[in-house]
Each structure stands twice: as structure tokens, then as C-alpha cells.
Amino acid sequence: MKRFSLILFALFLSAIVFGQGKNTINGAYLAKDGNTNYLWLLIDGYSSYTIYGPDNYLGTSGGPFNYDGKNINIKIEYNDKQADKIGTTKTMAFKVDKDKVVADGLTFNRLPAIKQDLDGLWRITGRKENEKINQIPRGDRKTIKILVDGYFQWIAINPAEKRFFGSGGGTYSFKDGKYVENILFFSRDNTRVGATLKFDGKVNNGVWEHSGLSSKGAPIFEIWTRDNK
């Protein structure tokens, strides 16, 4: 009985340490090489790594991660340039030094923490079409959105089929029911970079209702739910 209790305690302690490891690196990180930006978003156990220039999108990859205090391990769910990497795990040294991180051969600055109610990992679960809300059930194909410290990114993917449908992101703010996006990269159309999109939004019990005009000017009403992967 005593041995069993010790095993349970060890498992409990490991879970705490593992959780703390993920939480300590949550945030938005940015590295620059000339005009090329390397943006790394980490939140709710999910990682997204995007490369883009001032007005051109260069690539993105990411998926669920864990962090053991020394290395970050990312199970790749999407990689728009190397589909063969999907389903594999990428392990990298992740050295944290105050407000900087050295990883993947680059030095990232940890961007200032801007905590907002929408920070987290979301998955689209409903969309209004012809005045009717259509539910979007969980499946292989999904659209997720990562928001952390004033940065956002949406990604439309099907990991089971190793397919990538598109992604866009930039900075965001959410205050008094108004959600605003400033686009820094968009895989489908570089001319969208620099655009500002404004929406109405509200969050209730882990559900985010989002309405306004899309980047193409079409009216949208979407329902997003916090995702537990």
C-alpha cells in the first residue's frame, strides 16, 4: 500500500512539473533575420511557428507540444512546405534566458505579455449560413485559432490526410466586445497584409461568438470553442 501511494505521488508530481513546464514558456516569441520574421506562438500545449517577410508569407508548421525544461517536443500536425513531416515529432533544445529564447538556431525575443480573455487555443464549431447555424463536428479536418499576448493565427488543416488549406495571422485586441485583427501574413493572398478587420465578439462558458466582415468583405458569424486537442 505504501509503495502504491508513493507511485501515485510520483505520478502526481510529474504531472505538476510537466504542466508547469508548458506554462512557463507560454507566450509569443519573435526572431528576425534581416527582413524575415520568425514568429513562434505557444499556448495551451500547442505550438505554431511561422516565417514571413514584410509583405510575403513563407511558411508555417506546428502542433501539440510538451516541454521538459530543456527540450521542446512538437508533434507536427501541419507543415505547409514539408507534408512528409506531419505525424513526426520534432525535438529541439529550448534554452530560456530571461526574456530571450535560443532555439532552432535563432535567438527569439519573448514579446511583452498582453493578457486578454481570448488567449488560448480555439477550434471552429459552428458557422451561420442562410440565417441558420450549422454545427461543425469534430473530425480530421479542422480550423483552429491560436491567440496569445496580442498575437493570433488561424490554421485550416487535415492532419490525417496531411493537407494544409491556409493560414493567416498578426496582432489582435479584444476589449468591450470588439475584436480587432491586424494582418501580418496570409498564405492565400499577400495583398491582405496590412489590413485591419473589426468584429463583434463575446465569450461565454468557453464559447466565443464572432461576427463581422471577412477579409473579402463577406458577412460572417462563427462559433469557436476552446480546444482540448
Side-chain angles (χ1 to χ4, degrees), residues 18-32:
F18 180 78
Q20 287 177 339
K22 286 196 297 185
N23 291 336
T24 56
I25 64 171
N26 279 350
Y29 299 82
L30 183 65
K32 295 181 74 71

Side-chain angles (χ1 to χ4, degrees), residues 143-162:
T143 299
I144 57 176
K145 184 172 279 194
I146 303 165
L147 300 106
V148 58
D149 289 343
Y151 282 78
F152 81 95
Q153 182 182 359
W154 62 266
I155 310 107
I157 54 176
N158 185 327
E161 297 181 0
K162 299 186 178 183

Side-chain angles (χ1 to χ4, degrees), residues 121-126 205-208 223-228:
L121 176 66
W122 299 82
R123 181 172 181 149
I124 194 166
T125 55
N205 294 325
V207 176
W208 167 21
I223 297 173
W224 297 77
T225 304
R226 289 196 180 274
D227 195 59
N228 59 6

Side-chain angles (χ1 to χ4, degrees), residues 29-30 69 79 123 138 179 202:
Y29 299 82
L30 183 65
N79 185 319
R123 181 172 181 149
R138 294 186 69 87
Y179 172 75
K202 63 179 180 179

Side-chain angles (χ1 to χ4, degrees), residues 92-140:
M92 293 177 284
F94 195 91
K95 183 180 179 181
V96 181
D97 182 12
K98 296 181 181 179
D99 60 348
K100 295 184 183 297
V101 165
V102 177
D104 204 29
L106 295 165
T107 298
F108 293 81
N109 290 304
R110 189 169 193 162
L111 299 172
I114 305 174
K115 303 302 180 186
Q116 300 180 79
D117 290 342
L118 287 179
D119 281 2
L121 176 66
W122 299 82
R123 181 172 181 149
I124 194 166
T125 55
R127 182 182 287 115
K128 181 182 285 188
E129 296 177 348
N130 299 320
E131 299 305 314
K132 179 184 177 181
I133 299 294
N134 293 320
Q135 301 299 316
I136 302 174
R138 294 186 69 87
D140 292 334

Side-chain angles (χ1 to χ4, degrees), residues 18 21-22 25-26 29 40-43 45-49 63-76 89-96 101-104 108:
F18 180 78
K22 286 196 297 185
I25 64 171
N26 279 350
Y29 299 82
W40 204 343
L41 305 181
L42 299 165
I43 189 74
Y46 207 88
S47 163
S48 180
Y49 185 59
F65 80 89
N66 63 59
Y67 174 61
D68 62 12
K70 293 183 179 179
N71 297 311
I72 186 169
N73 306 290
I74 305 169
K75 183 178 179 180
I76 305 299
T89 297
K90 183 175 182 178
T91 298
M92 293 177 284
F94 195 91
K95 183 180 179 181
V96 181
V101 165
V102 177
D104 204 29
F108 293 81

Side-chain angles (χ1 to χ4, degrees), residues 147-197:
L147 300 106
V148 58
D149 289 343
Y151 282 78
F152 81 95
Q153 182 182 359
W154 62 266
I155 310 107
I157 54 176
N158 185 327
E161 297 181 0
K162 299 186 178 183
R163 298 185 67 188
F164 174 88
F165 302 103
S167 183
T171 61
Y172 90 95
S173 64
F174 181 59
K175 185 177 181 180
D176 299 329
K178 300 297 180 182
Y179 172 75
V180 180
E181 293 181 346
N182 299 292
I183 298 176
L184 296 177
F185 58 88
F186 194 177
S187 67
R188 296 172 178 170
D189 186 354
N190 287 322
T191 65
R192 301 294 182 186
V193 173
T196 296
L197 306 177

